[in-house]
Structures are given as structure tokens and as C-alpha cells.
């Protein structure tokens, strides 16, 4: 320390000499008294005005150079380089060519356990002097400032930087680059998908700075960007040699639900799930696994060859070519249900060979249902070959052919007039379809549902799934048609009603409803009779009203159309006619016995008329 103080005193003297501070003013005073003119002529007006003597430019430059070489401006925030001159238990003493040495805590050098005396370090003057006059420096702040300078330079000039992968984080990794924590996205670690991120923690790798957010002080780096350039060159070379039908070796890079991506050495191709196997599969992982090496054939690619379609199954013989040559239409085969659709089910009868069982070939029933009502995926079924086209590689199968056609002995099982029970399967506007057994359906026309009810739609009478008792009315074997009836299971009540409510019969009833052209009366739950407007007239000329009870006579009865018409008016009109006939008969008798005069007869008729008009 004593040696350093001596050096500084020497430096101060040199500065004073250069500045011209050490000069003798006595000769100047003597000239002032002996020769005033000369004194005024040589008077130093600059010193008088500025307070100092002018300094020669050359000496001034020498002074500035000396200061620059020997002193550090401790008021500047710039990063400077210092030398470690001593290391204590807690601090490192740094010389930065200032009036005193600086102190930095060893905690700031934890990243560098090999720090030793004589090492050059970058520092920032944190506090010029503390209470004890000690210069306080910061290595950590200097590292940050320098790190950002280096990061910006690496980004602007696309330089390769080294970084240390510290840990995992959401979506990627945290990398130490020049002391700054940068983000490495998972997609930027490598050109192929990464499955084990932890394998990279603790490794030093090269990176490229791809993005800097100065506002939030965020840095994004990429390792993938370094190798993509090399891969692009490889891609161009490989793509230029691609041809359809070419067989290449590749590595399974990624597996999705729709296919497999294969790395062909820098170029990716897709093997669609349908090109993995001749057999149907639910997911590609049933055939391949990640990192598996396999041979694939090029099926197609676009003009730029950036989308390459690959195939795996095409490297093996087509299963249809290996199908038994003796197999023919009419043979029975066994297979497994692999796919079910509404219209049918696909059966794999051999590996890669499928046949379709249409839903209409699953049952003798004429009512088409979903294939799921008969089979499930994975079921082992037996079927008969209905069609076989080896050229187009198509096959149709049938299940119902393995059982007897129920219409074969239909006449013996369902003769006309026989009674049976069936299930309502479907409605139409004109009737109900009833299934007597699998494959045997019959139609009940709406008019054959009830003897008495007027039904507009079958749903008013029954529901799908209900059990109905029926009678076979007609049987058409060739047309496979069966006509059924439900009302025929009982006697027709209108046969009895025809006798009880025949034309001319009289009944007492109450007016139920007044309608547009008359009124209605209910004789029982089956018979509702209609009374025309004029037939509502009472004997006194007034009309019957709703709720009035009166005697009625049936004037029309139609059993087929269940139409009944009644009249109240004919009751008293009939009585009038009877009276007229009796009067005429009496008058004729009197004429014969007493030779009644014409005047007497007229008198009797007038009396009858007065009675009918209510004058008596």
C-alpha cells in the first residue's frame, strides 16, 4: 500500500508540472515596477480573465493521455475489466486502476469455483465509496449487461452460442446463456419429437438465438435451427432421387390415429392407416411402434415432393391373390365381424379378405333393421357366399340362407281362418303390420281393426310393440303377402244391431249434440244416430233441443258404413196419417149406411183439421 501511495504522489507532481501550475511569480512583479509599458504589453490577459495560465495544446494532450492510462472514471456506469489481486474468505479484491481497490462478494462467483488471483473479471462500479471509503463493485451486474450485449449480437449476427440446460418447464426447457435464463421450446430441441425431456437436463448444447423481447427481457433459443440447414440439404438430395414404387428404409417418427410418419433420412412420409395392413385395424400402434425401422414403398407425392405418401402393406402379397381357388358361390364360410354399419356388417373370412352381409340378408323378415340388432363387432359368424368377384375383390354373404325360409310351409302353418298372436311392428296410414314370426309379416287394414270404432289412424287403436290377436283372412304365397284381421276374432255386433235397430223400430233417447245439419243421439256405445234438421220438428212445430228426451224412429240403417238415421217428426206425422185414414174409413162407412151427404163429410174433415191444429 505504501508503494502505491508513493506512485500516486509522483503522478500528482507530474500532472502539476504538465499543467504549469508550479511557476515563479516574482520576476513578473519586478517588470511591473521597472518598465510599465513592457508589463502591459506582456500582461497575461487570459490568466486575468480565466483565472489560469493558458496551456499548450501538446501538453494538454499529454495530460489527457496520462489520465486515461492511469485512472478509471468511477462516475461512469460502463463495465470495466479488473484484476483479482486478493481473495479472502468472503470477498474478492479487484484492481480497476482507481484510487482504491474494489470489493466483490464471493457469492457472485459461485458459478466459477476456479476463480484465483490474477484472473481478469468484468465489473460494474456499484457504489463509488462506502462509509469507509471502500470502492464497491458488482460482477453480477456486469455479467448481465455484457450478457445482453452478447445475446443481442448473437441474434443480430446469427451466431452460435453455448448454453447450459438448467431444468424443465412448461412447454420446454430453461437454458443459461451468458448468465441469462433463456427459454428453449420443446419443438426447438430437435427435428424429431422429444419424448424424454429429462434426458437433456444438465447438458451443455449449442443454440441459436431466435427471438428477443426487449420489453419483457425474454430470450428464446433453438437447437433445432442449427441442424435444420443441414437437414434441408439432405432433403433436397433425397427428394431429387424419389420415384414412385421405390422401396426405402425409414424410422417410425410419430404415430397418430390416422397414420404413421416415417423419417426417410431427413424427409418425412406418411403411411395412412389404410396402407399399413391388408386387414382392418383400429389404431396404427397395432402394427408399428416408435423408433421401429421398416421398409416402405413410395406410393405418391406432390409436385414439390414435400408430401410423400408411403405404403407398408403393398410390400406383401394381396390376400385376395392367396384366397382359396376352390371357394365358390353357395359355400359356407366362417369369419369375424370387423365393421358394422346401418346397412350391414363386414366379415373378415381370411386375413385381408372381407365380405359384406347386407342387413336384408341377415333375416327373412321384410322389415329392415340395423345390423347391430343381429351381430356385434368381434362376433364369430357363419355365412353363405352369395356373390364372389375375384377381379374386383368383392364378396357378399348371407346369414338367413343358413335357416329355412319360413314361407316354405306357410299354407300349413297359417291357413285362412286360423287364429294367431303377433307383434305390432309398423304403422301405415292404411293399416298395421304384424309380425307372426321372424320373416312372416301380415297386414291388418284399418277397416279390419274394429267392428264399431271409426279409426282415422292405426295409432289411435294400438302401439308399436303391442301384442294383437289376429285371424288370417287371405294368403298369397307367390307374392309373399298375408292379410290379417283383428276385429274378426269377435262376432260382428252390427249383425245384432241390424235387428234391434232396423228401419221402422222406435226408441226413446236424449238429444246428445246439436250439429250443423241436425243433431245426434247415442243409443249405446257403438251406435250414434243422426237426426236431420227437419226431423227434429215436434208436434207443435218447435224443434227439439240438446238434452231433450223424445221418441225416435229409425229411418235408415247401413251396417257396412255403420250409418244410422232417426226421426222424431215421423212419429207425430204417422199419427196424423193414421187419423186421416181412420176418418176417411169412417166417412166411407157412414156413406154406405146412412147415405151421408157431402156436407157431412166436409164437416167431419173440418173438425179433424181443427183438432190437428189444436183448436179444440
Amino acid at each position: 500500500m505504501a508503494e502505491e501511495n508513493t506512485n500516486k504522489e509522483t503522478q500528482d507532481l507530474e500532472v502539476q508540472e504538465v499543467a504549469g501550475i508550479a511557476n515563479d511569480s516574482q520576476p513578473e512583479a519586478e517588470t511591473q515596477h521597472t518598465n510599465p509599458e513592457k508589463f502591459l504589453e506582456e500582461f497575461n490577459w487570459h490568466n486575468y480573465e480565466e483565472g489560469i495560465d493558458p496551456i499548450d495544446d501538446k501538453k494538454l494532450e499529454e495530460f489527457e493521455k496520462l489520465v486515461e492510462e492511469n485512472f478509471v472514471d468511477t462516475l461512469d456506469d460502463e463495465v470495466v475489466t479488473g484484476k483479482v489481486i486478493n481473495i479472502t474468505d468472503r470477498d474478492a479484491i479487484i484492481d480497476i486502476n482507481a484510487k482504491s481497490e474494489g470489493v466483490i462478494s464471493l457469492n457472485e462467483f459461485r458459478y466459477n469455483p476456479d476463480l484465483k488471483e490474477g484472473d481478469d473479471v468484468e465489473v460494474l462500479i456499484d457504489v463509488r465509496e462506502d462509509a469507509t471509503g471502500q470502492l464497491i463493485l458488482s460482477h453480477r451486474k456486469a455479467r448481465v449487461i455484457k450478457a445482453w450485449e452478447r445475446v443481442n449480437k448473437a441474434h443480430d449476427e446469427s451466431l452460435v452460442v453455448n448454453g447450459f440446460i438448467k431444468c424443465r418447464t412448461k412447454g420446454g426447457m430453461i437454458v443459461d446463456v451468458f448468465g441469462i435464463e433463456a427459454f428453449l421450446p420443446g419443438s426447438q430441441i430437435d427435428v424429431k419429437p422429444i419424448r424424454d425431456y429429462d434426458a437433456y437436463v444438465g447438458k451443455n448444447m449449442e443454440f441459436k438465438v431466435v427471438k428477443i423481447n426487449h420489453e419483457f427481457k425474454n430470450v428464446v433459443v433453438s437447437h433445432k435451427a442449427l441442424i435444420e440447414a443441414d437437414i434441408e440439404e439432405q432433403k433436397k438430395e433425397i427428394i431429387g432421387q424419389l420415384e414412385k414404387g421405390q422401396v426405402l428404409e425409414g424410422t417410425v417418427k410419430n404415430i397418430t390415429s390416422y397414420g404413421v410418419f416415417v423419417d426417410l433420412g431427413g424427409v418425412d412420409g406418411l403411411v395412412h392407416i389404410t396402407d399399413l395392413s391388408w386387414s382392418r385395424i383400429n389404431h396404427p400402434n397395432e402394427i408399428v411402434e416408435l423408433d421401429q425401422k421398416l421398409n416402405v414403398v413410395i406410393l405418391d407425392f406432390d409436385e414439390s415432393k414435400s408430401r410423400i405418401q408411403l405404403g407398408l402393406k403393398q410390400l406383401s402379397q394381396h390376400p385376395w391373390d392367396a384366397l382359396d381357388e376352390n371357394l365358390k358361390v353357395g359355400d359356407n364360410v366362417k369369419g369375424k365381424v370387423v365393421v358394422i354399419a346401418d346397412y350391414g356388417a363386414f366379415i373378415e373370412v381370411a386375413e385381408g379378405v372381407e365380405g359384406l352381409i347386407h342387413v336384408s340378408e341377415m333375416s327373412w323378415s321384410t322389415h329392415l333393421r340395423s345390423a347391430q340388432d343381429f351381430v356385434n363387432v368381434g362376433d364369430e359368424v357363419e355365412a353363405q357366399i352369395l356373390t364372389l368377384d375375384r377381379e374386383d375383390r368383392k364378396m357378399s354373404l348371407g346369414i338367413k340362407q343358413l335357416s329355412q325360409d319360413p314361407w316354405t310351409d306357410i299354407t300349413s302353418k297359417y291357413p285362412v281362418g286360423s287364429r294367431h298372436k303377433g307383434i305390432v311392428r309398423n304403422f301405415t296410414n292404411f293399416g298395421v303390420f304384424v309380425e307372426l314370426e321372424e320373416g312372416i309379416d301380415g297386414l291388418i287394414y284399418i277397416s279390419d281393426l274394429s267392428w264399431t270404432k271409426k279409426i282415422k289412424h292405426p295409432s289411435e287403436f294400438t302401439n308399436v310393440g303391442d301384442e294383437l290377436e289376429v285371424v288370417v283372412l287371405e294368403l298369397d304365397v307367390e307374392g309373399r303377402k298375408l292379410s290379417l284381421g283383428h276385429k274378426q276374432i269377435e262376432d260382428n255386433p252390427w249383425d245384432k244391431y241390424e235387428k234391434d235397430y232396423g228401419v221402422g223400430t222406435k226408441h226413446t233417447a236424449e238429444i246428445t249434440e246439436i250439429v250443423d245439419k241436425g243433431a245426434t243421439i247415442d243409443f249405446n256405445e257403438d251406435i250414434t244416430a243422426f237426426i236431420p234438421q227437419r226431423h227434429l220438428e215436434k208436434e207443435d212445430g218447435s224443434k227439439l233441443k240438446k238434452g231433450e228426451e223424445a221418441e225416435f224412429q229409425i229411418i235408415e240403417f247401413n251396417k257396412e258404413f255403420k250409418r244410422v238415421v232417426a226421426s222424431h217428426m215421423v212419429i207425430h206425422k204417422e199419427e196424423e196419417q193414421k187419423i186421416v185414414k181412420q176418418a176417411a174409413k169412417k166417412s166411407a162407412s157412414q156413406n154406405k149406411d146412412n147415405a151421408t151427404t157431402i156436407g157431412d163429410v166436409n164437416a167431419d174433415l173440418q173438425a179433424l183439421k181443427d183438432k190437428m191444429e189444436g183448436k179444440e
Side-chain angles (χ1 to χ4, degrees):
M1 294 291 289
E3 184 180 349
E4 290 180 4
N5 291 332
T6 302
N7 292 335
K8 295 191 180 299
E9 290 174 1
T10 303
Q11 291 173 358
D12 292 340
L13 289 174
E14 290 175 353
V15 172
Q16 290 174 4
E17 290 176 357
V18 174
I21 297 175
N23 56 15
D24 190 2
S25 61
Q26 187 173 0
E28 183 178 328
E30 291 178 355
T31 305
Q32 178 182 353
H33 292 289
T34 58
N35 193 348
E37 291 83 2
K38 185 178 181 181
F39 172 76
L40 291 174
E41 183 180 348
E42 296 177 355
F43 184 75
N44 191 341
W45 293 101
H46 181 278
N47 188 13
Y48 175 76
E49 293 174 354
E50 301 294 336
I52 58 173
D53 291 332
I55 302 173
D56 183 66
D57 291 340
K58 184 176 181 181
K59 290 184 177 182
L60 187 60
E61 289 177 3
E62 290 177 359
F63 172 73
E64 291 176 350
K65 183 177 181 182
L66 187 62
V67 171
E68 184 178 351
E69 291 176 352
N70 291 277
F71 292 96
V72 173
D73 186 1
T74 58
L75 296 178
D76 201 343
D77 288 336
E78 291 184 1
V79 175
V80 298
T81 301
K83 186 181 293 292
V84 179
I85 61 173
N86 190 23
I87 297 178
T88 67
D89 293 340
R90 294 187 300 174
D91 301 316
I93 310 302
I94 311 296
D95 181 14
I96 61 169
N97 288 334
K99 288 193 300 181
S100 60
E101 292 79 14
V103 178
I104 298 178
S105 173
L106 288 178
N107 288 333
E108 298 192 22
F109 294 98
R110 271 189 290 182
Y111 76 95
N112 184 11
D114 298 327
L115 183 70
K116 61 184 182 299
E117 293 181 8
D119 287 352
D120 289 332
V121 294
E122 294 171 335
V123 297
L124 181 74
I125 300 172
D126 199 8
V127 179
R128 267 202 305 163
E129 291 181 354
D130 61 6
T132 63
Q134 184 70 58
L135 189 63
I136 304 301
L137 307 177
S138 174
H139 176 61
R140 182 182 295 111
K141 292 181 179 179
R143 283 189 74 207
V144 171
I145 293 173
K146 282 295 183 181
W148 276 103
E149 291 178 359
R150 292 170 183 166
V151 165
N152 283 312
K153 182 179 180 181
H155 177 260
D156 296 340
E157 300 179 9
S158 297
L159 301 178
V160 177
V161 298
N162 288 313
F164 176 75
I165 300 179
K166 297 176 64 175
C167 61
R168 283 189 60 178
T169 188
K170 184 179 180 181
M173 317 288 284
I174 298 298
V175 181
D176 186 325
V177 179
F178 304 132
I180 295 176
E181 288 190 347
F183 177 60
L184 172 62
S187 61
Q188 296 299 314
I189 298 176
D190 205 338
V191 291
K192 59 184 178 181
I194 301 302
R195 293 184 287 277
D196 184 11
Y197 285 79
D198 293 330
Y200 291 85
V201 177
K203 286 188 176 182
N204 286 296
M205 296 176 64
E206 291 184 336
F207 302 97
K208 199 171 184 180
V209 180
V210 294
K211 186 178 181 181
I212 297 178
N213 188 321
H214 293 281
E215 182 180 357
F216 297 103
K217 298 294 184 183
N218 291 335
V219 179
V220 180
V221 296
S222 169
H223 177 69
K224 176 182 176 182
L226 295 178
I227 56 179
E228 279 182 333
D230 295 335
I231 290 177
E232 284 299 320
E233 292 298 323
Q234 295 178 16
K235 271 187 178 182
K236 291 178 182 178
E237 184 178 349
I238 294 173
I239 287 175
Q241 300 174 356
L242 292 181
E243 295 180 3
K244 293 182 182 180
Q246 186 178 7
V247 178
L248 299 173
E249 184 183 54
T251 304
V252 176
K253 181 179 180 180
N254 192 20
I255 299 176
T256 68
S257 59
Y258 55 85
V260 177
F261 288 94
V262 178
D263 184 359
L264 301 176
V267 179
D268 291 346
L270 173 64
V271 183
H272 194 268
I273 187 172
T274 56
D275 290 316
L276 283 170
S277 172
W278 293 114
S279 300
R280 290 181 185 264
I281 58 174
N282 295 318
H283 197 277
N285 57 21
E286 298 175 18
I287 304 296
V288 298
E289 57 185 21
L290 286 172
D291 299 326
Q292 179 183 347
K293 292 188 179 296
L294 70 169
N295 290 329
V296 290
V297 60
I298 298 177
L299 302 180
D300 200 2
F301 45 73
D302 58 11
E303 292 182 0
S304 63
K305 297 183 180 179
S306 59
R307 294 185 179 180
I308 305 172
Q309 182 182 344
L310 305 174
L312 180 63
K313 71 179 184 181
Q314 287 79 4
L315 296 177
S316 60
Q317 185 184 22
H318 197 290
W320 271 87
D321 297 334
L323 189 64
D324 186 357
E325 295 181 356
N326 297 321
L327 211 59
K328 61 184 183 302
V329 173
D331 289 349
N332 292 346
V333 292
K334 292 183 179 180
K336 183 173 69 174
V337 179
V338 290
V339 175
I340 292 181
D342 289 337
Y343 57 84
F346 288 92
I347 313 299
E348 188 176 51
V349 298
E351 186 177 357
V353 178
E354 296 177 2
L356 171 65
I357 304 178
H358 194 270
V359 68
S360 62
E361 302 298 339
M362 291 183 174
S363 169
W364 289 109
S365 175
T366 56
H367 295 288
L368 295 182
R369 286 175 277 171
S370 172
Q372 293 179 344
D373 295 336
F374 300 96
V375 294
N376 298 309
V377 173
D379 287 353
E380 295 285 343
V381 298
E382 184 176 3
Q384 186 178 109
I385 299 177
L386 304 181
T387 63
L388 180 62
D389 188 340
R390 293 178 182 270
E391 185 175 345
D392 289 339
R393 294 170 176 169
K394 292 181 180 180
M395 180 188 303
S396 63
L397 307 172
I399 295 178
K400 71 181 184 181
Q401 288 77 8
L402 300 180
S403 60
Q404 185 181 8
D405 185 351
W407 281 83
T408 304
D409 56 352
I410 189 73
T411 54
S412 59
K413 292 172 67 175
Y414 300 101
V416 174
S418 59
R419 292 191 176 191
H420 308 276
K421 289 184 179 180
I423 304 298
V424 176
R425 291 299 184 194
N426 194 18
F427 289 148
T428 67
N429 290 329
F430 53 84
V432 179
F433 283 99
V434 177
E435 185 179 58
L436 301 180
E437 64 173 86
E438 188 78 20
I440 302 294
D441 295 333
L443 173 65
I444 305 176
Y445 283 99
I446 196 169
S447 58
D448 288 319
L449 286 173
S450 173
W451 290 112
T452 58
K453 293 181 179 179
K454 292 183 179 180
I455 303 170
K456 295 181 179 179
H457 192 273
S459 59
E460 300 173 6
F461 184 81
T462 186
N463 298 307
V464 173
D466 287 354
E467 185 180 69
L468 283 183
E469 190 172 358
V470 296
V471 175
V472 177
L473 303 181
E474 295 181 12
L475 180 59
D476 181 358
V477 178
E478 291 184 3
R480 300 173 78 94
K481 292 181 180 179
L482 197 61
S483 179
L484 306 175
H486 173 68
K487 70 181 184 181
Q488 287 79 3
I489 61 175
E490 299 176 348
D491 293 335
N492 187 354
W494 284 82
D495 291 338
K496 181 175 180 298
Y497 295 153
E498 187 176 22
K499 179 180 179 181
D500 295 343
Y501 295 91
V503 175
T505 58
K506 296 179 180 179
H507 310 274
T508 300
E510 181 181 297
I511 298 293
T512 307
E513 195 71 42
I514 301 297
V515 294
D516 289 342
K517 297 182 179 181
T520 60
I521 54 176
D522 293 333
F523 288 130
N524 57 36
E525 61 180 6
D526 296 329
I527 298 179
T528 297
F530 174 71
I531 301 96
Q533 186 76 27
R534 62 189 184 87
H535 288 274
L536 289 171
E537 185 179 335
K538 294 191 290 187
E539 189 174 359
D540 61 1
S542 63
K543 297 289 182 70
L544 289 171
K545 297 180 180 179
K546 181 179 179 180
E548 282 192 72
E549 188 176 80
E551 187 177 18
F552 298 91
Q553 180 175 316
I554 306 300
I555 58 177
E556 181 183 347
F557 184 90
N558 189 314
K559 181 175 70 174
E560 182 179 357
F561 296 103
K562 302 178 179 61
R563 175 181 171 83
V564 178
V565 180
S567 172
H568 172 68
M569 181 186 71
V570 297
I571 298 293
H572 56 80
K573 289 291 183 183
E574 188 178 60
E575 186 67 26
E576 292 176 6
Q577 292 175 1
K578 186 185 291 184
I579 294 174
V580 170
K581 287 181 180 180
Q582 289 176 352
K585 186 177 181 181
K586 181 178 180 182
S587 296
S589 177
Q590 289 177 353
N591 287 335
K592 183 178 180 180
D593 297 335
N594 303 320
T596 306
T597 65
I598 294 175
D600 294 334
V601 172
N602 290 337
D604 291 337
L605 290 174
Q606 184 63 45
L608 177 60
K609 182 179 180 182
D610 293 341
K611 181 180 179 181
M612 291 176 64
E613 291 176 354
K615 293 181 179 180
E616 289 186 359

